[in-house]
Amino acid sequence: MDLAFDRRHIWHPYTSTLTPLTCYPVSRAHGVYLQLEDGRELIDGMSSWWSTIHGYNHPHLNQAAHQQIDQMSHVMFGGITHQPAIDLCKQLVAMTAEPLQHVFLADSGSVAVEVSLKMALQYWQAKGESRSQFLTLRDGYHGDTFAAMSVTDPDNSMHSLYKGFLPQHIFAQSPKTGFWQQWDESDLDDFKAKLTLHHHDIAAVILEPIVQGAGGMRIYHPKFLQGVRRLCDEFGVLLILDEIATGFGRTGKLFAYEHAQIEPDILCLGKALTGGYMTLSATLTTSHVANTVCGGEAGCFMHGPTFMGNPLACAVANASMEILAQEEWQAQTQAIETQFAQQLPLLTEHPLVKEVRWLGAIGVVEATTAVNMETIQAHFVEQGVWIRPFGKLIYMMPPFISTPQQIDTLIAAVHSALNRPECFQSLS
Ligand SMILES: Cc1ncc(COP(=O)(O)O)c(C=O)c1O
């Protein structure tokens, strides 16, 4: 591959043209393996940013894609419908909380979040109330488009860069009680205080249920989420749950809100929706919200992307749903969780480890100091694994099909990185 061209001309996520970092050329992928151009195979501990839950090159997903591409790969969704979208939306309505009856299909996670925020704004507009604020949590992440970024942690997503353009929203402290810890009711104090003060202006609360992903890999107590739902009901504010990272089994439940036995008013899905094959997202809402929105001034929901309901993506998503329906994901994520629960706490003896956290097929090691990306990445590749940390966070979100040996290899690679001072910024 022409890596020199790549380095000179291609922008990778969050990279500099002045000091581009090494990019590893991948030629193919199968099962949990990424194959590099030179033939080396790496166990993927990232599921390509948490999406390829069934692994790469899956025969059932491949077959669905082949079949659909021979029928039609795309057709506009305005005034036209098709079987793959109908099948997918039937599945989504059936598998999510009962009140969620209406599905809006879009292209990416960030757009699903934009759609959810627009739904909430149109809902209040239709009710004759002017509410333009959102309440969310510190350490959250909801995407890179402007509205999604405006409800993402202000420091992590550098709101200062876009000052004057980015809408200002309200941030409550993120929950401190971990998933496996004793619940502390005072965790809700700041959230409650902010909601009490601003509820007349707040269109919706938006947050990631149970796991705050890219904003800090924090795994919090279900009682926090229960408290949020209770307070939203009390103050008459909509609750948007962003399950783009957690949806489709990642936390050991099909949807993370099930840990708290609550239901959202609006739900955002993406990433693993197509088993990680291609980009597709969905925003679901209740009949009450949908019908209120459509009874408003606009008379409809004002959104319609070109590739909305792309048949190819819907067909692959349907195949992914069929694999999930076989329910092996439950035993698989449970086995991965057990392995993380047994092995990650052993790492806390290491002086560079601040904390370890796990839930379902998510394992997190928070270091006391930030990683040196270039050297830790090279080290992981040498160890035959693909793990891409950020800041002080070294985490694993492997495909559900990963074997115990493969998980062992991932954890061993993390352990060996901890013993390499050059893998950490302040030590190298
Ligand atoms: C919780 C959450 N919401 C939204 C997004 C944005 O999704 P996308 O990158 O597909 O736009 C992400 C991506 O990591 C996410 O983790």
Side-chain angles (χ1 to χ4, degrees):
M1 281 181 223
D2 190 348
L3 296 183
F5 179 89
D6 187 290
R7 219 176 155 79
R8 262 199 314 274
H9 296 283
I10 307 182
W11 239 318
H12 287 263
Y14 292 99
T15 53
S16 162
T17 50
L18 301 174
T19 51
L21 296 178
T22 304
C23 266
Y24 293 87
V26 171
S27 317
R28 70 184 294 264
H30 62 99
V32 303
Y33 293 101
L34 300 175
Q35 193 183 84
L36 296 182
E37 196 182 25
D38 62 12
R40 278 183 294 168
E41 298 217 311
L42 310 179
I43 297 171
D44 181 11
M46 297 282 93
S47 305
S48 277
W49 275 336
W50 331 336
S51 61
T52 50
I53 51 176
H54 314 299
Y56 299 94
N57 224 330
H58 193 289
H60 192 59
L61 301 184
N62 285 6
Q63 191 195 18
H66 285 300
Q67 265 175 9
Q68 185 56 43
I69 210 162
D70 288 339
Q71 301 279 321
M72 65 182 165
S73 64
H74 185 60
V75 65
M76 65 185 280
F77 213 49
I80 287 175
T81 195
H82 49 79
Q83 201 60 45
I86 294 171
D87 290 345
L88 177 60
C89 294
K90 257 190 203 168
Q91 284 287 334
L92 293 176
V93 166
M95 74 205 295
T96 55
E98 201 277 328
L100 301 171
Q101 291 293 320
H102 300 268
V103 188
F104 191 96
L105 297 169
D107 341 46
S108 70
S110 300
V111 175
V113 169
E114 301 280 329
V115 163
S116 73
L117 301 175
K118 284 175 77 171
M119 275 180 188
L121 291 172
Q122 274 197 244
Y123 172 85
W124 289 107
Q125 206 265 352
K127 282 170 78 82
E129 284 194 43
S130 132
R131 297 193 185 203
S132 57
Q133 291 272 280
F134 289 92
L135 171 60
T136 186
L137 300 178
R138 286 249 158 204
D139 302 304
Y141 179 81
H142 297 284
D144 285 350
T145 51
F146 274 102
M149 194 169 44
S150 73
V151 287
T152 288
D153 186 274
D155 300 328
N156 281 346
S157 63
M158 300 203 69
H159 283 201
S160 54
L161 283 179
Y162 312 101
K163 217 169 166 191
F165 187 76
L166 205 61
Q168 306 265 305
H169 295 300
I170 306 160
F171 289 83
Q173 291 305 320
S174 49
K176 293 199 176 38
T177 318
F179 187 90
W180 303 104
Q181 291 172 338
Q182 183 75 28
W183 168 240
D184 176 358
E185 190 70 25
S186 70
D187 244 11
L188 275 162
D189 287 355
D190 190 50
F191 180 86
K192 187 173 179 182
K194 299 233 156 73
L195 193 58
T196 309
L197 189 62
H198 300 288
H199 67 97
H200 288 302
D201 300 322
I202 294 175
V205 165
I206 177 166
L207 47 77
E208 296 155 279
I210 305 298
V211 181
Q212 292 188 288
M217 291 294 159
R218 300 161 61 95
I219 306 176
Y220 63 84
H221 203 285
K223 290 250 190 241
F224 184 88
L225 199 52
Q226 278 172 3
V228 165
R229 177 71 272 184
R230 194 178 60 242
L231 290 164
C232 285
D233 288 342
E234 205 176 297
F235 286 99
V237 164
L238 296 174
L239 176 58
I240 303 170
L241 293 184
D242 176 351
E243 290 251 11
I244 288 159
T246 49
F248 306 107
R250 178 57 65 186
T251 67
K253 300 270 188 203
L254 198 50
F255 298 103
Y257 62 71
E258 294 171 20
H259 288 286
Q261 290 136 5
I262 60 138
E263 292 171 345
D265 300 298
I266 303 178
L267 176 69
C268 302
L269 301 172
K271 286 190 185 282
L273 176 57
T274 61
Y277 261 48
M278 55 193 81
T279 182
L280 180 71
S281 64
T283 307
L284 284 86
T285 193
T286 62
S287 296
H288 170 65
V289 171
N291 295 339
T292 306
V293 163
C294 298
E297 183 193 335
C300 65
F301 179 56
M302 292 291 285
H303 206 91
T306 305
F307 287 100
M308 181 169 180
N310 174 257
L312 193 51
C314 290
V316 179
N318 282 323
S320 177
M321 299 302 148
E322 282 160 13
I323 300 173
L324 287 173
Q326 291 164 8
E327 302 209 330
E328 281 173 64
W329 64 270
Q330 279 172 321
Q332 290 166 335
T333 54
Q334 182 59 62
I336 294 172
E337 177 179 296
T338 305
Q339 220 172 332
F340 282 148
Q342 284 166 352
Q343 296 186 32
L344 292 184
L346 304 176
L347 298 181
T348 53
E349 282 164 24
H350 198 287
L352 273 181
V353 175
K354 181 172 173 224
E355 195 182 72
V356 296
R357 311 186 267 273
W358 64 87
L359 182 69
I362 307 171
V364 184
V365 175
E366 182 171 343
T368 53
T369 181
V371 301
N372 185 337
M373 197 58 157
E374 191 80 2
T375 40
I376 201 166
Q377 197 75 92
H379 175 73
F380 283 137
V381 170
E382 246 172 57
Q383 301 294 307
V385 302
W386 183 249
I387 295 176
R388 190 160 171 86
F390 62 88
K392 298 175 181 175
L393 295 162
I394 309 171
Y395 69 93
M396 293 157 279
M397 288 214 198
F400 300 167
I401 56 162
S402 305
T403 64
Q405 292 78 7
Q406 288 161 344
I407 302 292
D408 273 346
T409 308
L410 291 172
I411 298 172
V414 172
H415 194 182
S416 70
L418 291 167
N419 290 329
R420 294 280 194 96
E422 68 273 22
C423 291
F424 293 88
Q425 277 183 22
S426 60
L427 310 174
S428 48

